[in-house]
């Protein structure tokens, strides 16, 4: 039986954090043996906001190394860099021409980032979801494991595929592009900021105190948890809308310690913050230590990393180019001999 195909990615913008790990990468790792997986470093997405050309390549390698460090296994998964497969850009252009402008203007992430950027909003930022649709549709992916923040973009991807198939696949009778399903786990789907439990933990938050980066030192982790926002109540509980920080920090503890929600609820029900914070600190440091060690080992062997990315690119390009050819042929392009 052929395995279903999975595609997902992380942008090489800033430091990857616990949200990227718990919302996305951890789920890729846990489920990878069930699927045929393609994990890309989405470096074309990284320039939709102002970026520094001096660090883009290093950050791109860094995210690929994080994938390996978190447990991506090359017997089940391919790792590649988005810009190494030109079909991503080409399909984006073709899909741009069938995507209504107002679909993009309605995207929540665009509106939020556009407000943050003021006058410097690029066309690329508006077009980000079409590039994301191209990333996914090129691989005819069945499943896309992401955090909750990407759900709307996944719905748009499905709409774009359906529209293409309707317009150019004989009113949908011929399925040229497969509609993917999102894979969003309930726990960890939305890791919140350490400084405001109602805001998503995010690479672009100007305050480094708001997130725990996967490469933070034990001292940084200790200091961030010590200073993180809490509330004046004693006894820690999940799912109290009035206590978003308690819910977030308990969820982090649950996921990083590998315990069930019930066990954590019982363990922490009578705790004060003074008792809980050292426990969370110790658990976080212990969970990140093996990831950090593997990351540094991979980054120290650039030749190895490059060989993985070369192999990943070959596997990815074979599938991507096949889909691109089908799309161009459906659109009426002459195919070079
Ligand atoms: N806070 C989060 N909780 C759960 N999942 C999250 N993801 C991101 N933040 C959280 C998931 O991580 C994957 C990769 O994200 P990305 O590289 O596309 O970056 P992003 O969503 O733009 O991540 P950030 O940190 O939030 O960056 P900015 O600040 O630029 O917006 C995705 O699957 C995402 O859902």
């Amino acid at each position: 039986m052929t395995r279903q195909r999975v595609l997902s990615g992380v942008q090489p913008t800033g430091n990857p954090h616990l949200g990227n790990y718990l919302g996305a990468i951890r789920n890729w790792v846990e489920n990878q043996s069930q699927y045929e997986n393609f994990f890309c470093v989405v470096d074309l997405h990284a320039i939709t906001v102002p970026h520094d050309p001096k660090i883009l390549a290093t950050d791109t390698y860094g995210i690929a190394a994080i994938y390996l460090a978190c447990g991506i296994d090359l017997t089940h998964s391919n790792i590649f860099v988005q810009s190494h497969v030109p079909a991503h850009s080409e399909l984006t252009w073709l899909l741009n021409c069938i995507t209504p402008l107002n679909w993009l203007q309605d995207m929540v992430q665009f509106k939020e980032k556009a407000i943050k950027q003021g006058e410097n909003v690029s066309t690329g930022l508006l077009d980000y979801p079409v590039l994301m649709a191209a990333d996914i549709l090129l691989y005819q992916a069945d499943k896309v494991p992401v955090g909750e923040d990407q759900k709307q973009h996944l719905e748009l991807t499905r709409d774009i595929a359906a529209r293409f198939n309707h317009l150019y696949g004989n009113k949908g009778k011929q399925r040229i592009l497969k509609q993917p399903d999102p894979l969003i786990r309930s726990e960890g789907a939305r890791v919140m900021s350490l400084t405001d439990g109602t805001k998503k933990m995010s690479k672009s938050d100007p305050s480094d105190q708001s997130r725990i980066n996967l490469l933070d030192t034990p001292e940084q982790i200790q200091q961030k948890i010590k200073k993180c926002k809490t509330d004046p109540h004693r006894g820690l509980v999940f799912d109290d809308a009035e206590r978003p920080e308690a819910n977030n920090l308990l969820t982090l503890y649950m996921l990083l310690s590998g315990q069930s929600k019930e066990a954590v609820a019982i363990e922490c029900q009578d705790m004060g913050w003074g008792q809980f914070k050292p426990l969370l600190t110790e658990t976080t440091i212990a969970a990140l230590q093996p990831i950090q060690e593997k990351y540094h080992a991979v980054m120290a062997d650039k030749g190895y990393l490059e060989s993985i990315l070369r192999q990943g690119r070959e596997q990815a390009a074979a599938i991507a180019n096949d889909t691109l050819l089908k799309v161009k042929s459906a659109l009426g392009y002459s195919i070079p001999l």
Side-chain angles (χ1 to χ4, degrees), residues 8-13 15-25 28 42 45 49 63 109 113 116 128 132 145-151 188-193 199-205 211:
S8 200
V10 171
Q11 300 183 67
T13 44
N15 291 319
H17 50 72
L18 279 182
N20 301 130
Y21 178 57
L22 298 173
I25 304 171
W28 308 351
V42 287
H45 285 272
V49 292
I63 295 292
Q109 199 180 73
K113 289 198 175 177
K116 276 194 208 160
Y128 173 116
M132 180 167 158
V146 283
E148 172 80 31
D149 58 327
Q150 293 297 336
K151 192 167 174 222
R190 200 167 171 79
V191 173
M192 309 312 273
S193 157
K199 255 174 62 186
K200 186 184 88 143
M201 186 178 284
S202 166
K203 296 195 214 93
S204 61
D205 191 315
R211 62 188 159 256

Side-chain angles (χ1 to χ4, degrees), residues 242-263:
E242 305 289 309
R243 303 184 63 188
E245 286 80 20
N247 189 60
N248 188 42
L249 297 172
L250 277 182
T251 304
L252 289 182
Y253 176 56
M254 173 186 80
L255 295 171
L256 294 171
S257 67
Q259 295 185 75
S260 69
K261 191 169 178 179
E262 293 69 31

Side-chain angles (χ1 to χ4, degrees), residues 8-80:
S8 200
V10 171
Q11 300 183 67
T13 44
N15 291 319
H17 50 72
L18 279 182
N20 301 130
Y21 178 57
L22 298 173
I25 304 171
R26 179 188 61 119
N27 304 331
W28 308 351
V29 170
E30 281 180 13
N31 296 324
Q32 64 186 325
S33 62
Q34 292 173 47
Y35 301 109
E36 179 195 13
N37 308 281
F38 287 85
F39 299 121
C40 58
V41 184
V42 287
D43 57 345
L44 295 172
H45 285 272
I47 65 163
T48 56
V49 292
H51 83 291
D52 181 354
K54 289 198 227 50
I55 57 172
L56 181 61
T58 312
D59 283 355
T60 300
Y61 280 112
I63 295 292
I66 283 286
Y67 291 175
L68 291 165
C70 290
I72 293 300
D73 175 350
L74 299 170
T75 54
H76 304 297
S77 307
N78 294 288
I79 299 177
F80 70 101

Side-chain angles (χ1 to χ4, degrees), residues 33 46 53 56 83 85 114 140-141 146 154 168 197 203 284 328:
S33 62
L56 181 61
S83 67
V85 182
Q140 309 283 1
V146 283
L154 249 298
Y168 301 104
K203 296 195 214 93
T284 307
K328 288 177 83 172

